[in-house]
Amino acid sequence: MVNNLAPIAIFAYKRPEHLKKALNSLSKCTLANQSIVYIFCDGAKSKEDLKAISATREVAKTQTWCKELHVIEKPENLGLSKSISTGVTSLCEKYGKVIVLEDDLLVAPSFLEYMNKALTLYENEDRVMEISGYMYPIQTHSENDAFFMVHASCWGWATWKRAWKNFGNDEDQVGRLKRDRKYRTKFDIDGAYPYFKMLQRQAAGEIDSWGVLWYLTIFKMDGLVLMPRQTLVKNIGQDGSGTNVSRLMFDDKLDDFNVTTFPKVELDQKAFKTFRDYVFKNYVPWYRKLFSF
């Protein structure tokens, strides 16, 4: 496995201090010194961003802990969605798989070992489409150290070329979601979170979210996402500095948790219900709760 580690893609823009902390945490991972790292630095939206962008790129270039470093400096601004989609596609084409991080994510020391083990273990399982390093602050009582759900996590994840090739907007699926209320409710985690509204906002250009399109891809294919029982990722960008995250959403504790037991390929119904109830309790307006379930 050591000779076939997945490349690591890191996406950065204009937060040098966040990137420095994120890379420092990644450097402490088992297998970090044997990994190939690509840091994709997006171009400026305006002249006001140039100083911070330059500082961010300097941080990227100073990394000496990995086996091989590639810093890709984009001359123009692609935006978060296009930057990630094109970067992930390029590495999937070259290596067949990829581990994906952003500049505001801290990871546990066991993160890379877990990712690479899972990528190898489920490589030929077509229904498994993503390996997630993040887990919400809930108790799932899973029999293993990880479990499967139909839910895409954007905070520290991995995938294969075979799964990512299906990524993209699907007008037929969006049309079905509009027409079929039952299907739409299922897409919205049994009505717990308004993912369909996110799709509509994405189509209208109000948000720049690749994540909701990736979730749509997984959902339509009845795909599964492996999630650890405890989170291996912590987001430090919930301070107003991020593109799509502007407030504290989760107060996660990053423990040194190791995933040693892996599940068979099937949806963990108990874990899904616990997750659904957590999201419903924390994110659905009170007046909608009165008329749900």
Side-chain angles (χ1 to χ4, degrees), residues 73-85:
E73 302 179 51
K74 296 294 184 181
E76 72 285 348
N77 182 265
L78 299 181
L80 183 62
S81 183
K82 188 175 181 181
S83 181
I84 288 182
S85 62

Side-chain angles (χ1 to χ4, degrees), residues 88-212:
V88 170
T89 298
S90 67
L91 294 188
C92 278
E93 288 294 330
K94 184 172 183 178
Y95 297 94
K97 56 187 175 181
V98 64
I99 296 169
V100 185
L101 291 164
E102 293 180 44
D103 60 4
D104 56 2
L105 300 177
L106 304 184
V107 296
S110 62
F111 173 79
L112 288 179
E113 191 171 22
Y114 158 69
M115 284 288 175
N116 281 287
K117 279 184 179 179
L119 283 168
T120 299
L121 184 62
Y122 300 108
E123 182 177 8
N124 298 315
E125 297 284 354
D126 288 346
R127 197 181 175 198
V128 182
M129 298 184 69
E130 178 189 319
I131 309 299
S132 171
Y134 180 74
M135 179 57 195
Y136 298 86
I138 58 178
Q139 293 292 325
T140 62
H141 306 292
S142 175
E143 294 179 359
N144 295 288
D145 294 331
F147 56 89
F148 284 108
M149 288 206 306
V150 184
H151 175 70
S153 171
C154 302
W155 292 356
W157 58 285
T159 192
W160 304 264
K161 178 182 177 180
R162 61 161 175 78
W164 185 253
K165 68 181 181 181
N166 301 292
F167 170 77
N169 194 16
D170 189 320
E171 293 183 4
D172 289 340
Q173 281 294 306
V174 174
R176 181 181 175 185
L177 287 166
K178 286 180 180 178
R179 297 187 304 271
D180 189 333
R181 184 177 179 180
K182 266 190 172 181
Y183 193 61
R184 187 167 66 248
T185 299
K186 185 179 179 182
F187 181 70
D188 285 346
I189 317 294
D190 291 344
Y193 195 84
Y195 280 114
F196 181 64
K197 284 189 176 180
M198 284 187 68
L199 268 182
Q200 291 178 311
R201 293 186 66 201
Q202 171 73 14
E206 296 175 8
I207 59 173
D208 184 27
S209 174
W210 64 271
V212 72

Side-chain angles (χ1 to χ4, degrees), residues 144-279:
N144 295 288
D145 294 331
F147 56 89
F148 284 108
M149 288 206 306
V150 184
H151 175 70
S153 171
C154 302
W155 292 356
W157 58 285
T159 192
W160 304 264
K161 178 182 177 180
R162 61 161 175 78
W164 185 253
K165 68 181 181 181
N166 301 292
F167 170 77
N169 194 16
D170 189 320
E171 293 183 4
D172 289 340
Q173 281 294 306
V174 174
R176 181 181 175 185
L177 287 166
K178 286 180 180 178
R179 297 187 304 271
D180 189 333
R181 184 177 179 180
K182 266 190 172 181
Y183 193 61
R184 187 167 66 248
T185 299
K186 185 179 179 182
F187 181 70
D188 285 346
I189 317 294
D190 291 344
Y193 195 84
Y195 280 114
F196 181 64
K197 284 189 176 180
M198 284 187 68
L199 268 182
Q200 291 178 311
R201 293 186 66 201
Q202 171 73 14
E206 296 175 8
I207 59 173
D208 184 27
S209 174
W210 64 271
V212 72
L213 298 179
W214 179 226
Y215 170 50
L216 176 66
T217 302
I218 294 171
F219 179 82
K220 75 178 182 181
M221 300 187 70
D222 194 30
L224 293 174
V225 174
L226 184 73
M227 304 190 81
R229 188 160 45 81
Q230 294 182 34
T231 191
L232 300 177
V233 179
K234 178 180 175 66
N235 189 308
I236 60 170
Q238 302 173 75
D239 53 4
S241 66
T243 301
N244 290 327
V245 179
S246 59
R247 63 182 177 85
L248 183 63
M249 296 173 64
F250 306 104
D251 185 20
D252 297 307
K253 302 291 188 295
L254 194 61
D255 297 320
D256 190 10
F257 176 67
N258 287 284
V259 177
T260 59
T261 58
F262 291 83
K264 60 182 179 180
V265 181
E266 64 180 14
L267 175 66
D268 189 321
Q269 295 285 358
K270 288 183 179 179
F272 174 77
K273 184 180 183 300
T274 302
F275 164 69
R276 181 202 66 191
D277 292 347
Y278 170 80
V279 174

